[in-house]
Coordinates of all heavy atoms in Angstrom, one line a residue:
V474 N 14.0 -53.7 1.2 CA 12.5 -53.5 1.1 C 11.8 -54.8 1.5 O 10.8 -54.9 2.3 CB 12.1 -53.0 -0.3 CG1 10.6 -53.1 -0.4 CG2 12.6 -51.6 -0.5
F475 N 12.3 -55.9 0.9 CA 11.7 -57.2 1.2 C 11.8 -57.5 2.7 O 10.8 -58.0 3.3 CB 12.5 -58.3 0.4 CG 12.1 -59.7 0.8 CD1 10.8 -60.2 0.4 CD2 13.0 -60.6 1.4 CE1 10.5 -61.5 0.7 CE2 12.7 -61.9 1.7 CZ 11.4 -62.4 1.4
A476 N 13.0 -57.2 3.3 CA 13.1 -57.5 4.8 C 12.2 -56.7 5.6 O 11.6 -57.2 6.6 CB 14.6 -57.2 5.2
V477 N 12.0 -55.4 5.3 CA 11.1 -54.5 6.0 C 9.7 -55.0 5.9 O 8.9 -55.1 6.8 CB 11.3 -53.1 5.6 CG1 10.1 -52.2 6.1 CG2 12.6 -52.5 6.0
L478 N 9.3 -55.4 4.6 CA 7.9 -55.8 4.4 C 7.6 -57.1 5.1 O 6.5 -57.4 5.5 CB 7.6 -56.0 2.9 CG 7.6 -54.7 2.1 CD1 7.4 -55.0 0.6 CD2 6.6 -53.7 2.6
R479 N 8.7 -57.9 5.4 CA 8.5 -59.2 6.1 C 8.8 -59.0 7.6 O 8.9 -60.0 8.3 CB 9.5 -60.2 5.5 CG 9.1 -60.7 4.1 CD 7.9 -61.6 4.1 NE 8.2 -62.8 4.9 CZ 8.7 -63.9 4.6 NH1 9.2 -64.1 3.3 NH2 8.9 -64.9 5.4
D480 N 8.9 -57.8 8.0 CA 9.1 -57.5 9.4 C 10.4 -58.2 9.9 O 10.5 -58.7 11.0 CB 8.0 -57.9 10.3 CG 8.0 -57.3 11.7 OD1 8.6 -56.2 11.8 OD2 7.4 -57.9 12.6
F481 N 11.4 -58.2 9.0 CA 12.7 -58.7 9.2 C 12.8 -60.3 9.3 O 13.8 -60.8 9.7 CB 13.4 -58.1 10.4 CG 13.5 -56.6 10.3 CD1 12.7 -55.7 11.0 CD2 14.5 -56.1 9.5 CE1 12.8 -54.4 10.8 CE2 14.6 -54.7 9.4 CZ 13.8 -53.8 10.0
N482 N 11.7 -60.9 9.1 CA 11.7 -62.4 9.1 C 12.0 -62.9 7.7 O 11.2 -63.3 6.9 CB 10.3 -62.9 9.5 CG 10.0 -62.5 10.9 OD1 10.8 -62.7 11.8 ND2 8.7 -62.0 11.2
V483 N 13.3 -63.0 7.4 CA 13.8 -63.3 6.1 C 14.8 -64.5 6.2 O 15.4 -64.7 7.3 CB 14.4 -62.1 5.4 CG1 13.4 -61.0 5.1 CG2 15.6 -61.5 6.2
P484 N 15.0 -65.2 5.1 CA 16.0 -66.3 5.1 C 17.4 -65.8 5.4 O 17.8 -64.6 5.2 CB 15.9 -66.9 3.7 CG 14.6 -66.5 3.2 CD 14.3 -65.1 3.8
L485 N 18.2 -66.7 5.9 CA 19.6 -66.4 6.3 C 20.4 -65.9 5.0 O 21.2 -65.0 5.2 CB 20.3 -67.7 6.8 CG 21.8 -67.5 7.2 CD1 22.0 -66.5 8.3 CD2 22.4 -68.9 7.6
E486 N 20.1 -66.4 3.9 CA 20.8 -66.0 2.6 C 20.6 -64.5 2.4 O 21.5 -63.8 1.9 CB 20.3 -66.8 1.4 CG 20.6 -68.3 1.5 CD 19.7 -69.1 2.3 OE1 18.7 -68.5 2.9 OE2 19.9 -70.3 2.5
V487 N 19.4 -64.0 2.7 CA 19.1 -62.6 2.5 C 20.0 -61.8 3.4 O 20.6 -60.8 3.1 CB 17.6 -62.3 2.7 CG1 17.4 -60.8 2.7 CG2 16.8 -63.0 1.6
K488 N 20.1 -62.2 4.7 CA 20.9 -61.5 5.7 C 22.4 -61.5 5.3 O 23.0 -60.4 5.4 CB 20.7 -62.1 7.0 CG 19.3 -62.1 7.6 CD 19.1 -62.7 8.9 CE 17.7 -62.7 9.5 NZ 17.6 -63.3 10.8
I489 N 22.8 -62.6 4.8 CA 24.3 -62.7 4.4 C 24.5 -61.8 3.2 O 25.6 -61.1 3.2 CB 24.6 -64.2 4.1 CG1 24.6 -65.0 5.3 CG2 26.0 -64.2 3.4 CD1 24.8 -66.5 5.1
T490 N 23.6 -61.8 2.2 CA 23.8 -60.9 1.1 C 23.8 -59.5 1.4 O 24.7 -58.7 1.0 CB 22.7 -61.2 0.0 OG1 22.7 -62.6 -0.3 CG2 22.9 -60.3 -1.2
L491 N 22.9 -59.1 2.3 CA 22.9 -57.7 2.7 C 24.1 -57.3 3.5 O 24.7 -56.2 3.3 CB 21.6 -57.4 3.6 CG 20.3 -57.3 2.8 CD1 19.1 -57.4 3.8 CD2 20.3 -56.0 2.0
C492 N 24.6 -58.2 4.4 CA 25.9 -57.9 5.1 C 27.0 -57.8 4.2 O 27.9 -56.9 4.3 CB 26.1 -59.0 6.1 SG 25.0 -59.0 7.5
A493 N 27.1 -58.6 3.1 CA 28.2 -58.6 2.2 C 28.2 -57.3 1.4 O 29.3 -56.7 1.2 CB 28.1 -59.8 1.2
I494 N 27.0 -56.8 1.0 CA 26.9 -55.6 0.2 C 27.4 -54.4 1.1 O 28.1 -53.5 0.7 CB 25.5 -55.4 -0.3 CG1 25.2 -56.4 -1.4 CG2 25.3 -54.0 -0.9 CD1 23.7 -56.4 -1.8
S495 N 26.9 -54.4 2.4 CA 27.3 -53.4 3.3 C 28.8 -53.4 3.5 O 29.5 -52.3 3.5 CB 26.6 -53.6 4.6 OG 27.0 -52.6 5.6
A496 N 29.4 -54.5 3.7 CA 30.9 -54.6 3.8 C 31.6 -54.1 2.6 O 32.7 -53.4 2.7 CB 31.3 -56.0 4.1
Y497 N 31.1 -54.4 1.4 CA 31.7 -53.9 0.2 C 31.7 -52.3 0.2 O 32.7 -51.7 -0.1 CB 30.9 -54.4 -1.0 CG 31.4 -53.8 -2.3 CD1 32.5 -54.2 -3.0 CD2 30.6 -52.7 -2.9 CE1 32.9 -53.6 -4.2 CE2 31.0 -52.1 -4.1 CZ 32.2 -52.6 -4.7 OH 32.6 -51.9 -5.9
V498 N 30.6 -51.7 0.5 CA 30.5 -50.3 0.5 C 31.4 -49.6 1.5 O 32.1 -48.6 1.3 CB 29.0 -49.8 0.8 CG1 28.9 -48.3 1.0 CG2 28.1 -50.2 -0.4
L499 N 31.5 -50.2 2.7 CA 32.3 -49.7 3.8 C 33.8 -49.9 3.6 O 34.6 -49.0 3.8 CB 31.9 -50.3 5.1 CG 30.6 -49.7 5.8 CD1 30.3 -50.5 7.0 CD2 30.8 -48.3 6.1

């Protein structure tokens, strides 16, 4: 939600965390 509200302009840490969660689910 934070990423969408910021039009995807978010810190690298947010991107890494989201990728890690996605990898965990998959």
